[in-house]
Amino acid sequence: MSRTDTFSQGCDEVAEAPTRQDPYDLFIIGGGINGCGIARDAAGRGMSVALAEMNDLASATSSASTKLFHGGLRYLEYFEINLVRHALEERETLLKAMPHISWPMRFVLPYHKEMRFEGGTPTSRILNIVMPWTRGRRPAWLIRLGLFLYDNLGGRKILPGAKTISLNGTAEGAPLQPQYQKAFEYSDCWVEDSRLVVLNARDAEERGADIMLRTKVVSAAREGDLWEIVTETASGETQTHHAKMLINAGGPWVGNIIQSKVRVNSTEGVRLVRGSHIVTPRLYDHDKCYFFQGTDGRIIFAIPYETDFTLIGTTDADHEDPDQKPVCTPEEQSYLLNFANTYFKRQLTDADVVWTYSGVRPLYDDGASSAAAATRDYTLKVEAAGGAPILNIFGGKITTYRKLAEDTMDKVAPFFPDMPGHWTAEVPLPGGDFGVSEVDALIAKLQADFGFLDPKWAKRLIRAYGTESWDVLGDAKSREDLGIDFGATLTEAEVRWLMAREYARTADDVLWRRSKLGLRLTPDQAKTLDDWMAAA
């Protein structure tokens, strides 16, 4: 089959709404990481699954994270031990399943004596009682104790442990102000968040799930032992589906779905917390991340990003309306710049910011006094009193998405007694069927097989597609064989692949969710791409 035939067939499969004679076992609302992770897990157990997402995959929270698989070091101060342990256990499990879009990263935590707790954490309250002379400061021994726990809670095998390093005359200390003499270094992991969502959706579909994008759930009502779900596409076409169980993975819209779509009684609530990030030109030469602690007790990260940039974030601010698009406010941008400027020698200004983005975290409303203190753990609630069951998902982190999916299926299991058990741990996602240590060898092989690729281009492809990079490039012998050059190594062949295999329909889908090439293309280039995709 030619590449054009594959492209046309793939587009037809994505565009057409599925039709089934029998009810689905599960109907999932929401195409973020939780919804797609559950769809993959359920489809892999042989269940019939449908997923409806009103926009593109990962179009909200799941493409606006800080891009980390991490245990959440600061959550130890809130005694969120189970949350941290589960997240730490997942880091290496996920690394093995997706070594192309996730990789280990070392984090440098500069120390100074004025580092303070965020007001009101359980740890700070205890320390103020037993050691009142600390006056809310984080002592070095406490940070080292926290890192010891961080190293040992999750059964670490691949990632190196924490250590103390000097910042005098070292690459880690070079970009920092001279008052920072010592730092702690530990391990966590980077992840391409929106690609993670797409790969889970693809794997779910390959295992039999029906993935319906740009398809809004208009209503869902119990009809005896089934749910009757009405959906509407972007073109206005409506369709009715039936399912034995409904999964509400609506993220920021989870509360709205409960109240206005399915109209079930629930005492659970969601707290929307906005996290904003800024991107600047690259601020330092090494490949480690900085973990900065502020005098207000909060923390931010400064992370190497897309080779030539630095990502700085995040903030924590309450966000009232999920339908209000989250944006990085001038106040949040100033906060992040000023925070970073207390550490970096180079003083950043608004002129250094090349891009900002914000996401809304749908946290379980546990009544915490501040957005930063609200739990990052997830809560799963099943409601079955009125007939067909519904499961509502509150909260969660990208690091624990696979575990959340497993726990969801454990909640689903009583309604499907013959359902098989857990299976997803370390099972590769598409393109991830190689070892964590084999990335450099894979990049070298791709460059050898396609001699027209330069090292940066080959690395970008492997980091996006892994072993599927060869399929993206096909039988090309030269750059010209890949068709139109849209800029920044994005070619027609790659765009056709993304449209046929990864549900992309617009330039934004390609430039900001399937990749971050939007940082490199000009507005005119982006419009050319969008026009070409619309015509295609």
Side-chain angles (χ1 to χ4, degrees):
M1 182 181 290
S2 71
R3 185 182 295 124
T4 302
D5 291 338
T6 303
F7 167 66
S8 300
Q9 181 190 43
C11 287
D12 290 343
E13 289 173 354
V14 172
E16 293 178 0
T19 55
R20 296 178 60 94
Q21 298 300 315
D22 298 322
Y24 292 103
D25 292 326
L26 300 181
F27 193 101
I28 301 167
I29 305 175
I33 187 54
N34 289 339
C36 291
I38 294 166
R40 178 190 184 228
D41 193 323
R45 301 184 196 219
M47 303 183 78
S48 58
V49 180
L51 180 148
E53 162 57 44
M54 62 182 175
N55 297 307
D56 182 32
L57 291 170
S59 57
T61 305
S62 295
S63 60
S65 76
T66 311
K67 326 296 182 191
L68 300 176
F69 278 153
H70 67 122
L73 180 61
R74 75 181 184 90
Y75 303 142
L76 290 174
E77 291 183 2
Y78 293 92
F79 298 158
E80 296 256 20
I81 304 300
N82 283 335
L83 170 66
V84 175
R85 184 178 69 251
H86 289 156
L88 291 173
E89 290 169 348
E90 280 296 283
R91 289 182 312 179
E92 297 194 6
T93 298
L94 297 175
L95 270 178
K96 294 174 185 176
M98 55 196 79
H100 49 332
I101 63 167
S102 179
W103 53 89
M105 185 175 283
R106 293 292 279 175
F107 287 67
V108 177
L109 195 165
Y111 177 74
H112 63 87
K113 292 182 179 180
E114 294 305 312
M115 287 178 174
R116 307 190 73 83
F117 289 102
E118 191 159 10
T121 70
T123 302
S124 68
R125 289 197 295 269
I126 292 172
L127 209 64
N128 285 340
I129 294 171
V130 300
M131 300 176 64
W133 58 89
T134 62
R135 297 178 183 177
R137 292 189 293 268
R138 283 186 179 103
W141 65 263
L142 186 66
I143 295 173
R144 196 64 187 87
L145 175 61
L147 289 171
F148 174 81
L149 292 173
Y150 206 68
D151 273 348
N152 292 283
L153 275 174
R156 175 180 52 85
K157 295 178 181 178
I158 297 175
L159 301 174
K163 64 181 181 179
T164 302
I165 63 171
S166 171
L167 296 177
N168 291 323
T170 63
E172 294 86 354
L176 303 180
Q177 296 178 22
Q179 65 264 33
Y180 302 105
Q181 300 290 310
K182 179 175 79 171
F184 303 103
E185 185 178 293
Y186 69 97
S187 292
D188 264 321
C189 304
W190 173 267
V191 63
E192 300 288 356
D193 54 2
S194 51
R195 289 207 56 74
L196 175 63
V197 179
V198 171
L199 295 182
N200 271 272
R202 277 189 54 199
D203 202 47
E205 186 174 57
E206 289 168 8
R207 297 175 189 276
D210 289 324
I211 307 296
M212 297 176 281
L213 304 186
R214 298 167 180 83
T215 301
K216 188 173 185 177
V217 172
V218 177
S219 66
R222 288 180 168 116
E223 295 288 340
D225 293 332
L226 297 176
W227 283 96
E228 183 176 273
I229 305 112
V230 179
T231 60
E232 182 179 17
T233 65
S235 62
E237 180 184 354
T238 61
Q239 189 170 2
T240 300
H241 316 266
H242 294 89
K244 298 173 184 176
M245 188 169 186
L246 193 63
I247 306 288
N248 177 6
W253 290 271
V254 62
N256 287 14
I257 291 169
I258 291 171
Q259 295 163 14
S260 64
K261 305 297 184 185
V262 301
R263 295 183 175 88
V264 297
N265 293 323
S266 176
T267 59
E268 311 300 329
V270 63
R271 182 170 188 167
L272 303 181
V273 175
R274 184 177 66 253
S276 294
H277 304 75
I278 60 175
V279 175
T280 70
R282 185 168 179 165
L283 298 176
Y284 50 89
D285 293 332
H286 59 79
D287 60 359
K288 297 178 182 179
C289 167
Y290 287 104
F291 179 120
F292 293 151
Q293 302 180 82
T295 55
D296 63 353
R298 294 213 64 252
I299 64 100
I300 63 169
F301 296 103
I303 311 172
Y305 189 57
E306 295 293 318
T307 305
D308 300 317
F309 304 93
T310 298
L311 172 64
I312 300 173
T314 180
T315 59
D316 276 311
D318 285 313
H319 190 85
E320 297 300 323
D321 184 358
D323 290 324
Q324 179 183 352
K325 181 177 173 60
V327 296
C328 180
T329 65
E331 293 77 16
E332 287 175 305
Q333 179 167 309
S334 294
Y335 174 82
L336 293 172
L337 289 170
N338 292 335
F339 201 145
N341 284 340
T342 63
Y343 282 86
F344 286 122
K345 290 176 183 174
R346 174 181 171 181
Q347 295 296 283
L348 301 170
T349 69
D350 290 331
D352 292 302
V353 178
V354 299
W355 182 48
T356 69
Y357 69 90
S358 297
V360 176
R361 308 179 191 100
L363 306 181
Y364 180 64
D365 191 354
D366 60 353
S369 58
S370 69
T375 181
R376 266 53 177 177
D377 211 347
Y378 53 83
T379 298
L380 310 175
K381 294 290 184 178
V382 175
E383 163 59 49
I390 178 173
L391 188 150
N392 296 306
I393 298 171
F394 301 89
K397 311 164 25 80
I398 197 166
T399 312
T400 51
Y401 90 89
R402 190 200 66 84
K403 190 68 172 64
L404 181 150
E406 276 191 348
D407 289 348
T408 296
M409 297 310 295
D410 288 345
K411 294 276 190 180
V412 167
F415 303 97
F416 299 90
D418 298 326
M419 185 179 73
H422 299 174
W423 67 274
T424 58
E426 300 179 18
V427 175
L429 287 169
D433 50 338
F434 60 97
V436 174
S437 62
E438 298 171 8
V439 175
D440 289 342
L442 209 62
I443 293 170
K445 177 169 172 42
L446 185 70
Q447 197 175 356
D449 290 349
F450 297 91
F452 55 87
L453 297 178
D454 63 34
K456 285 187 176 181
W457 190 357
K459 181 178 180 180
R460 182 182 74 77
L461 291 174
I462 292 297
R463 281 303 187 193
Y465 308 109
T467 56
E468 292 189 320
S469 300
W470 281 262
D471 299 325
V472 174
L473 297 173
D475 55 4
K477 303 299 182 186
S478 67
R479 185 175 187 135
E480 289 70 30
D481 290 341
L482 298 175
I484 300 168
D485 180 355
F486 293 106
T489 70
L490 181 67
T491 65
E492 178 182 342
E494 184 175 352
V495 176
R496 286 187 178 277
W497 164 271
L498 291 170
M499 295 181 75
R501 302 294 299 275
E502 295 198 356
Y503 317 98
R505 287 293 169 272
T506 70
D508 274 359
D509 297 347
V510 171
L511 299 180
W512 296 109
R513 287 181 287 278
R514 306 311 183 274
S515 74
K516 289 297 181 286
L517 291 173
L519 288 166
R520 303 184 185 280
L521 266 64
T522 67
D524 286 344
Q525 288 174 316
K527 185 178 186 307
T528 298
L529 172 63
D530 206 39
D531 290 344
W532 183 89
M533 292 179 70

